[in-house]
């Protein structure tokens, strides 16, 4: 199986794969795990597609806000059912010039513009 690139630095922008943990919960993925510590519940991904263990209560509180919890960085090869997007930080006008067609095909999420 061809390994999917998790980051691209082919131009002066920085683009990386990110994942929506809300989708993991809504699909009740079999690779989710949870544990309790100090009275709080945390969840994570056994496959470590995202490396973090997320506080469930804080996650739910943020999910109820306008922007929702959003995304976390992908740290390992996602599985086909993972809800992955591309997050781009453009410095200038690299977007239309993007030469990485695989990244271009992904749902692109521009979250930040870095000005000089
Ligand atoms: S395998 Fe993918 S969908 Fe399942 S918990 Fe991990 S990141 Fe989420
Ligand atoms: S804009 Fe395109 S070529 Fe540049 S880093 Fe992002 S995906 Fe790669």
């Amino acid at each position: 199986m061809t390994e999917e690139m998790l980051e691209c630095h082919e131009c002066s922008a920085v683009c990386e794969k990110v994942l929506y943990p809300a989708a993991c919960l809504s699909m009740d993925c079999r690779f989710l795990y949870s544990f309790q510590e100090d009275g709080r519940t945390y969840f994570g991904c056994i496959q470590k597609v995202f490396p973090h263990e997320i506080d469930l209560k804080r996650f739910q509180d943020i999910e109820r806000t306008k922007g929702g919890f959003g995304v976390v960085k992908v740290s390992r090869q996602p599985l086909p059912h993972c809800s992955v997007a591309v997050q781009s930080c453009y410095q200038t006008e690299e977007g239309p010039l993007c030469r990485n067609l695989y990244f271009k095909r992904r749902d692109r999420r521009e979250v930040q513009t870095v000005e000089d």
Side-chain angles (χ1 to χ4, degrees), residues 19 24 27 29 31-32 45 49-50 79 81-82:
L19 175 128
C24 308
M27 74 175 81
C29 178
F31 296 118
L32 277 173
C45 168
V49 176
F50 62 93
L79 303 181
H81 66 276
C82 299

Side-chain angles (χ1 to χ4, degrees), residues 51-93:
H52 319 284
E53 285 163 342
I54 299 170
D55 183 321
L56 180 62
K57 172 74 168 53
R58 288 190 64 194
F59 174 86
Q60 290 170 329
D61 288 345
I62 297 170
E63 268 293 282
R64 280 191 284 272
T65 64
K66 190 165 176 237
F69 183 85
V71 295
V72 291
K73 187 174 177 181
V74 169
S75 59
R76 282 178 106 173
Q77 285 297 306
L79 303 181
H81 66 276
C82 299
S83 183
V84 174
V86 172
Q87 177 171 286
S88 302
C89 298
Y90 295 126
Q91 284 186 312
T92 53
E93 298 300 319

Side-chain angles (χ1 to χ4, degrees), residues 5 7-16 86-90 94-104 108:
M5 285 175 66
E7 290 184 347
C8 179
H9 301 270
E10 287 185 25
C11 72
S12 57
V14 175
C15 295
E16 61 186 19
V86 172
Q87 177 171 286
S88 302
C89 298
Y90 295 126
E94 289 93 346
L97 303 176
C98 177
R99 66 197 88 163
N100 186 332
L101 294 179
Y102 186 78
F103 265 62
K104 273 188 91 168
R108 186 175 286 278

Side-chain angles (χ1 to χ4, degrees), residues 23-42:
C24 308
L25 292 173
S26 65
M27 74 175 81
D28 197 17
C29 178
R30 64 196 169 106
F31 296 118
L32 277 173
Y33 69 91
S34 66
F35 63 95
Q36 295 209 320
E37 192 173 285
D38 297 331
R40 301 188 78 86
T41 302
Y42 297 84

